[in-house]
Amino acid sequence: WRYEFTDEQQLAFTLNCKEYIGVVVDSVIQSQYDQSPCPYPCYLHWSDSTSSIGWMRKSNFSFGEMPVHAEIARFHARHMMEMNACHYSQHLPGVDNIIADCLSRDFHLTNDQIISLLTSLGGSPPTIPLQIVPVPAELISWISRLAQLAPANEASLKGQSRSSLADGISGWTSSGASSTPAVPCWKTSTKQHDFASAVRLCMQNDAVTLGNVHPLSKSNRALPARPSIMWRRPLSSTIGQTPS
C-alpha cells in the first residue's frame, strides 16, 4: 500500500508522527488481508523510525499536549483489542528499508511501475504476484481528522525528495506489447546490484529469518526473534479496581 499526504497533512505531522501513522495504518491493512486461522494474531511491524517503534510498544500521550499522537495510540489500541491481537514492533535500519522508502516517496511512479521495479530486483519471480493494495477510505478519513487535531504550524512546505531506488533509474524500456510491463533502465550496474540485495532482504525477512543476521543485510544487524509467549492482561482485572 502507499498513501501520499496532502499539503495540509505534510505541515500538520512531524516526520516521526508520519512514521507512527504509517505503522498503525499498516497494522489495519495487515489484519484485513490476514488469512491465518489463528484466533490471536501477532502482527510484525517494521520501521526505520526508532521513535515510532518505541511508541508502538508503550505510549502515554496527553491529549492536551500531543493530541495527534494520543489519538493514534488510542486508535491502534482499540483496533488491536477488536482483533484480539498483539503487535511485534521492530526497528529496521534505513539502509535496509528500501521498499518502504520507495512506496512513501516515489509518487511520480505509478503502481505498475513500482511493482515492475521491485519485481525486476527481487531475483526469482515471487510465488504470489506483488500488488499494491488501496488504503481503505475510512483510514484516509481518519488521517484527515488527525490533521485537524494538530496545533497550528507556520512552517513552509518542503519538496519531497525521491528515494535512492528511484534515483538510480535513468528511464524505462517496453517491448511494445500492452500486456508487458515496462522495465527500468539503471544508471549503473553497481547501483542495480546494491538495490537488488536490499529488495531481496526486505522480501525474505520473515518469521523464518528473524533472530539471525541476513546475509544481504547492509547494517549487519539481526531482527530479534519473535517471542514464543505474548503476555496479555485481561481487562476484567483492571477496570473498576483500585490498588489496595
Side-chain angles (χ1 to χ4, degrees), residues 36-52:
S36 169
C38 178
Y40 304 106
C42 178
Y43 297 114
L44 170 63
H45 301 136
W46 291 348
S47 176
D48 54 21
S49 166
T50 54
S51 295
S52 66

Side-chain angles (χ1 to χ4, degrees), residues 147-166:
Q148 297 174 1
L149 294 175
N153 188 346
E154 308 220 347
S156 59
L157 190 64
K158 297 181 181 179
Q160 177 78 292
S161 60
R162 296 181 180 182
S163 71
S164 57
L165 185 60

Side-chain angles (χ1 to χ4, degrees), residues 164-234:
S164 57
L165 185 60
D167 197 46
I169 300 173
S170 60
W172 297 82
T173 60
S174 176
S175 65
S178 58
S179 60
T180 304
V183 178
C185 300
W186 297 92
K187 293 179 180 178
T188 67
S189 58
T190 302
K191 279 186 174 292
Q192 180 180 6
H193 179 269
D194 290 343
F195 290 139
S197 297
V199 167
R200 287 197 298 272
L201 167 68
C202 290
M203 290 182 175
Q204 296 171 13
N205 244 336
D206 53 23
V208 176
T209 57
L210 294 179
N212 302 301
V213 177
H214 197 285
L216 298 175
S217 172
K218 291 185 178 181
S219 64
N220 200 33
R221 287 176 51 190
L223 291 175
R226 172 176 167 169
S228 58
I229 299 176
M230 301 295 293
W231 296 100
R232 307 174 74 242
R233 180 191 303 173

Side-chain angles (χ1 to χ4, degrees), residues 9-231:
Q9 293 163 0
Q10 291 280 9
L11 292 174
F13 307 135
T14 64
L15 179 59
N16 281 327
C17 185
K18 293 172 189 172
E19 295 278 356
Y20 192 19
I21 293 171
V23 175
V24 171
V25 167
D26 189 66
S27 72
V28 176
I29 294 178
Q30 278 194 60
S31 66
Q32 292 180 346
Y33 286 86
D34 181 18
Q35 298 180 352
S36 169
C38 178
Y40 304 106
C42 178
Y43 297 114
L44 170 63
H45 301 136
W46 291 348
S47 176
D48 54 21
S49 166
T50 54
S51 295
S52 66
I53 290 302
W55 295 334
M56 291 293 285
R57 294 175 180 173
K58 180 181 179 180
S59 59
N60 55 351
F61 300 109
S62 165
F63 261 101
E65 297 177 0
M66 305 181 74
V68 175
H69 291 68
E71 173 55 29
I72 297 171
R74 289 193 176 189
F75 178 90
H76 179 60
R78 286 194 298 267
H79 176 252
M80 289 289 103
M81 288 189 289
E82 289 170 359
M83 297 298 299
N84 212 14
C86 56
H87 63 254
Y88 172 48
S89 307
Q90 292 299 326
H91 175 250
L92 185 66
V95 69
D96 292 331
N97 200 25
I98 192 169
I99 293 182
D101 191 44
C102 176
L103 290 171
S104 63
R105 291 176 180 269
D106 298 329
F107 293 101
H108 63 291
L109 299 178
T110 66
N111 286 357
D112 288 342
Q113 285 178 315
I114 290 184
I115 291 173
S116 175
L117 173 60
L118 298 178
T119 302
S120 69
L121 292 172
S124 58
T127 54
I128 301 176
L130 296 179
Q131 61 174 323
I132 297 177
V133 300
V135 177
E138 58 270 23
L139 288 179
I140 295 176
S141 177
W142 174 68
I143 295 173
S144 298
R145 293 198 302 271
L146 286 177
Q148 297 174 1
L149 294 175
N153 188 346
E154 308 220 347
S156 59
L157 190 64
K158 297 181 181 179
Q160 177 78 292
S161 60
R162 296 181 180 182
S163 71
S164 57
L165 185 60
D167 197 46
I169 300 173
S170 60
W172 297 82
T173 60
S174 176
S175 65
S178 58
S179 60
T180 304
V183 178
C185 300
W186 297 92
K187 293 179 180 178
T188 67
S189 58
T190 302
K191 279 186 174 292
Q192 180 180 6
H193 179 269
D194 290 343
F195 290 139
S197 297
V199 167
R200 287 197 298 272
L201 167 68
C202 290
M203 290 182 175
Q204 296 171 13
N205 244 336
D206 53 23
V208 176
T209 57
L210 294 179
N212 302 301
V213 177
H214 197 285
L216 298 175
S217 172
K218 291 185 178 181
S219 64
N220 200 33
R221 287 176 51 190
L223 291 175
R226 172 176 167 169
S228 58
I229 299 176
M230 301 295 293
W231 296 100

